[in-house]
């Protein structure tokens, strides 16, 4: 299974009744847009993916907007060829655990690269005309949210491809009443490369380039095969290439083409490519308000600026837009599947009793075991799993503020079931571990801010919601619950009646 590009995935969604083409007008202007409300409505109703072709206040009316393609766990699982979230996660885990199964990309001629159909050199680039702009909520700037960003380590030459948001200054409101220069608005962009320092890899490349006093080239491939996007949202170890991992996930190599103005390679079937370079002194500027993934506005954020050196795109390109806001929102699930996969891969390597890891859109972590009660390997095993999860590799697990361990009879995707397990299997003083000196999720507004202006440390709570046999009891009450097969058969009897 491999999608050739985003279009191929959208065709699959449409075939499965999960995508609608909609000509209802929606406003996308700064200050007047309806896109945050549309995102909320779709999330509340488990709505489909949309392709919107009648946007108002839009600078590129001929470019349709893809909206909400990843708005459910099911659609996100479809990126990996299944509708089942656990099956998708296990595929992600298997490839992550076996770098031998990764497949190197191939290079194709530019004549075979749809992303080269239109080429705009630097002297002709004008961000207001050449990059679609959609605004969300009360955000001050428009973001490029469908991009994967390619850079090479200035010391080793090893490539990194990461999913990071890119910001435009065009028609951007300055959060402190200042202004942006004409050059900034028309020929420059900025990127969210300093987030949770120093753990995103483009941030490491940028720091190395700055230290060496060298420029850092970059290329942003917008709207690519979603399996590649998923690979680029996965925290594979620094120094390994996401294109190779994506090849493993797809089961076939990613086809690349050389850039026009920088020494980098980009996916040939992307919709848009933006090429650019960070100057050695890495100028920065502030943007804001910025709506963040924990559901609050940051009054401002500091982003490094780069110069655009070329833009290429398809003749009839598609755009994709998404916002971070109070969860859930579209790309929650696309960003969470890799986080779940990374933690599951790490835990299963040492603990075969771990069956699944679910991270909710609000980033509560739930680890499900395939054993409970007396079948656990040793007493207090749930607490051992809590520590193992906090100590797992990767960027995210150490920031798990609320972490719950449950047994196999508790559905980790169902928060009511998890709450039931907490109510009936947990004594707060004995079964909850409070860690007072953990790493913060830097966007958490409840964690105290450090001297850098953002939180670095946070408190955490780990809840062992397994059955306390043998720790406290020799046997436990039987669960009163209907047999799922019988529930299905009763539902079938009532089909068309109720
Ligand atoms: C749509 C989307 C937007 C994201 N935006 C950012 C971002 O702006 N900055 C960031 O550091 N991580 C962002 N992430 C998460 C990173 O992609 C993820 O942590 C990934 O592992 C980073 O790659 P790296 O480990 O090579 O740095 C985003 C993920 C998704 C799916």
């Amino acid at each position: 299974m491999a999608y050739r590009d985003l279009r191929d995935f959208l065709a699959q969604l449409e075939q499965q009744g999960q995508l609608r083409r909609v000509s209802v007008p929606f406003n996308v202007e700064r200050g007047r847009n309806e896109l945050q409300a549309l995102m909320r409505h779709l999330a509340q109703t488990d709505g489909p993916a949309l392709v919107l072709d009648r946007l108002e206040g839009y600078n590129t009316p001929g470019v349709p907007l893809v909206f909400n393609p990843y708005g459910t766990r099911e659609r996100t699982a479809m990126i990996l060829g299944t509708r089942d979230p656990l099956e998708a996660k296990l595929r992600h885990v298997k490839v992550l655990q076996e770098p031998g199964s990764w497949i190197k990309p191939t290079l194709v001629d530019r004549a075979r690269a749809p992303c080269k159909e239109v080429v705009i050199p630097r002297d002709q680039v004008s961000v207001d005309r050449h990059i679609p702009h959609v605004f969300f909520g009360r955000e001050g700037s428009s973001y490029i949210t469908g991009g994967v960003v390619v850079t090479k380590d200035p010391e080793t030459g090893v490539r990194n491809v990461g999913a990071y948001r890119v910001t435009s200054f065009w028609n951007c409101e300055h959060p402190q009443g200042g202004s942006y220069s004409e050059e900034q608005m028309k020929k420059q962009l900025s990127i969210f490369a300093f987030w949770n320092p120093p753990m995103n890899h483009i941030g490491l490349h940028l720091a190395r380039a700055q230290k060496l006093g060298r420029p850092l080239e970059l290329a942003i491939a917008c709207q690519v095969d979603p399996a590649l996007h998923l690979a680029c949202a996965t925290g594979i170890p620094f120094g390994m290439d996401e294109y190779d991992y994506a090849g493993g996930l797809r089961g076939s190599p990613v086809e690349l083409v050389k850039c026009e103005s920088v020494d980098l390679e980009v996916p040939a079937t992307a919709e848009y490519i933006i090429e650019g370079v960070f100057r050695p002194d890495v100028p920065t500027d502030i943007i804001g308000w910025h709506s963040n993934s924990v559901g609050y506005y940051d009054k401002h954020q500091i982003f490094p600026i780069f110069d655009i050196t070329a833009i290429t795109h398809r003749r009839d390109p598609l755009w994709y837009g998404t916002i971070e806001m109070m969860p859930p929102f579209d790309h929650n699930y696309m960003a969470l599947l890799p986080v779940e996969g990374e933690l599951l891969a790490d835990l299963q390597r040492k603990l075969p009793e771990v069956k699944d890891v679910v991270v909710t859109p609000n980033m509560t972590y739930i680890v499900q075991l395939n054993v409970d009660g007396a079948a656990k390997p040793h007493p207090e095993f749930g607490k051992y799993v809590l520590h193992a999860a906090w100590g797992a590799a990767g960027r995210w697990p150490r920031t798990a503020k609320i972490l719950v361990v449950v047994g196999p009879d508790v559905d980790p995707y169902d928060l009511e079931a998890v709450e039931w397990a907490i109510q009936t299997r947990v004594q707060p003083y004995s079964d909850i571990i409070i860690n007072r000196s953990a790493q913060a999720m830097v966007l958490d507004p409840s964690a105290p801010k450090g001297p850098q202006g953002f939180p670095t440390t946070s408190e955490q709570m780990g809840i062992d919601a397994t059955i306390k046999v043998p720790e406290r009891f020799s046997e436990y009450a039987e669960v009163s619950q209907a047999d799922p097969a019988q529930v299905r058969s009763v539902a079938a009897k009532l089909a068309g009646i109720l």
Side-chain angles (χ1 to χ4, degrees), residues 145 160-165 192 195 199-202 229 232-236 242 324 331 334-335 395-396:
T145 47
N160 180 68
V161 200
Y164 316 111
R165 248 155 315 153
F192 208 168
W195 189 28
M199 283 186 294
N200 77 16
H201 293 169
I202 189 175
H229 204 143
C232 296
T234 303
I236 65 169
E242 281 82 359
E324 301 193 331
H331 72 275
M334 141 81 88
R395 187 173 168 192
W396 301 102

Side-chain angles (χ1 to χ4, degrees), residues 57-68:
Y58 188 37
N59 65 325
T60 50
V63 182
L65 178 69
V66 178
F67 202 80
N68 200 38

Side-chain angles (χ1 to χ4, degrees), residues 375-397:
K376 289 179 298 189
H378 57 76
E380 305 293 5
F381 183 67
K383 278 135 196 138
Y384 177 70
V385 175
L386 290 173
H387 287 295
W390 278 327
R395 187 173 168 192
W396 301 102

Side-chain angles (χ1 to χ4, degrees), residues 1-3 5-6 9-10 12-13 69-84 88 91-92 224-231 246 249-251 330-331 333-335 337-338:
M1 184 286 314
Y3 298 109
D5 49 25
L6 179 67
F9 177 68
L10 297 180
Q12 177 68 12
L13 291 183
Y70 314 118
T72 61
R73 285 194 190 272
E74 186 188 11
R75 284 207 290 280
T76 306
M78 285 169 71
I79 297 173
L80 297 179
T82 165
R83 301 175 81 125
D84 180 66
R91 283 184 197 174
H92 181 269
V224 294
D225 164 16
L228 173 59
H229 204 143
L230 204 61
L249 272 185
R250 301 173 82 239
D330 168 46
H331 72 275
Y333 300 108
M334 141 81 88
L337 192 153

